[in-house]
């Protein structure tokens, strides 16, 4: 199996369908979650919806590079999103999140293995492989937060 296919599958496990590392994934945690729970704050923590949108923000930014565009995402904007005010808003966001995630995985599995070692946008960002793996690790980090916040709100 190509390295890019393996990495794409690892990414899918994190967001869409896996249980190997964390025994859960974003889709399992968020798909049937009521929007009111998703936007409920717990003390000074980010809400579930903000954390999910934060990960989606970075996935979209990297997808833009995969499509030949610029890397125009900025950390300072990575938590700034319009409020979710209904179940419809929440579902619309989730549909975008799942679609963007599948697009991200598809871009990875279609790239030749050699591209993993190429510079990603600028040398200061390292390689494609480093950035893709960082996306997976970053996603797991926030998935853990989502799981804990969800437990605090629903138990």
């Amino acid at each position: 199996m190509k390295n890019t296919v393996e990495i794409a599958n690892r990414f899918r496990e994190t967001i869409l369908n896996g249980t190997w590392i964390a025994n859960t994934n974003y889709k399992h945690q968020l798909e049937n979650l009521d929007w009111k729970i998703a936007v409920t704050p717990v003390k000074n923590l980010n809400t579930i919806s903000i954390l999910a949108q934060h990960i989606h923000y970075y996935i979209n930014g990297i997808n833009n590079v995969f499509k030949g565009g610029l890397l125009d995402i900025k950390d300072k904007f990575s938590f700034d999103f319009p409020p979710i005010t209904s179940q419809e808003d929440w579902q619309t966001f989730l549909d975008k999140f799942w679609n963007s995630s599948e697009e991200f995985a598809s871009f990875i599995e279609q790239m030749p293995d050699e591209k993993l070692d190429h510079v990603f946008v600028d040398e200061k960002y390292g390689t494609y492989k480093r950035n893709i793996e960082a996306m997976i690790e970053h996603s797991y980090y926030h998935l853990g937060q989502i799981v804990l916040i969800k437990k605090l709100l629903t138990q």
Side-chain angles (χ1 to χ4, degrees):
M1 182 183 303
K2 286 182 14 175
N3 288 328
T4 52
V5 171
E6 288 179 22
I7 294 170
N9 288 338
R10 281 191 59 227
F11 175 78
R12 281 189 185 100
E13 286 178 355
T14 311
I15 307 293
L16 300 169
N17 62 18
T19 58
W20 191 57
I21 299 294
N23 203 34
T24 193
N25 58 69
Y26 279 80
K27 195 166 194 177
H28 181 255
Q29 291 298 312
L30 303 178
E31 190 165 48
N32 295 309
L33 187 66
D34 186 275
W35 75 276
K36 290 177 184 173
I37 294 171
V39 301
T40 299
V42 175
K43 297 190 179 186
N44 64 344
L45 303 175
N46 287 307
T47 65
I48 291 170
S49 68
I50 291 293
L51 292 169
Q53 290 174 92
H54 172 75
I55 290 300
H56 180 249
Y57 176 81
Y58 282 104
I59 290 169
N60 269 348
I62 295 172
N63 276 347
N64 194 50
V65 173
F66 288 160
K67 293 174 189 175
L70 299 174
L71 181 64
D72 55 5
I73 52 177
K74 305 278 186 236
D75 291 345
K76 67 181 179 179
F77 301 126
S78 69
F79 286 98
D80 297 339
F81 308 104
I84 302 282
T85 60
S86 68
Q87 191 67 36
E88 184 180 352
D89 287 352
W90 179 237
Q91 190 57 54
T92 298
F93 161 70
L94 290 176
D95 291 342
K96 289 178 188 174
F97 190 20
W98 311 146
N99 290 334
S100 297
S101 296
E102 182 52 44
E103 181 180 42
F104 185 93
S106 293
F107 279 127
I108 296 167
E109 69 188 358
Q110 291 172 28
M111 73 175 57
D113 279 350
E114 303 77 47
K115 189 163 186 172
L116 291 172
D117 295 323
H118 291 187
V119 170
F120 183 80
V121 179
D122 187 310
E123 283 190 35
K124 68 183 176 184
Y125 298 125
T127 63
Y128 273 79
K129 182 178 181 182
R130 180 173 188 235
N131 281 271
I132 294 164
E133 288 179 342
M135 189 69 246
I136 294 167
E137 293 163 9
H138 186 204
S139 296
Y140 273 124
Y141 171 75
H142 289 302
L143 177 59
Q145 293 175 320
I146 287 169
V147 169
L148 291 173
I149 293 167
K150 186 176 173 185
K151 283 182 181 183
L152 289 170
L153 292 170
T154 60
Q155 291 184 356

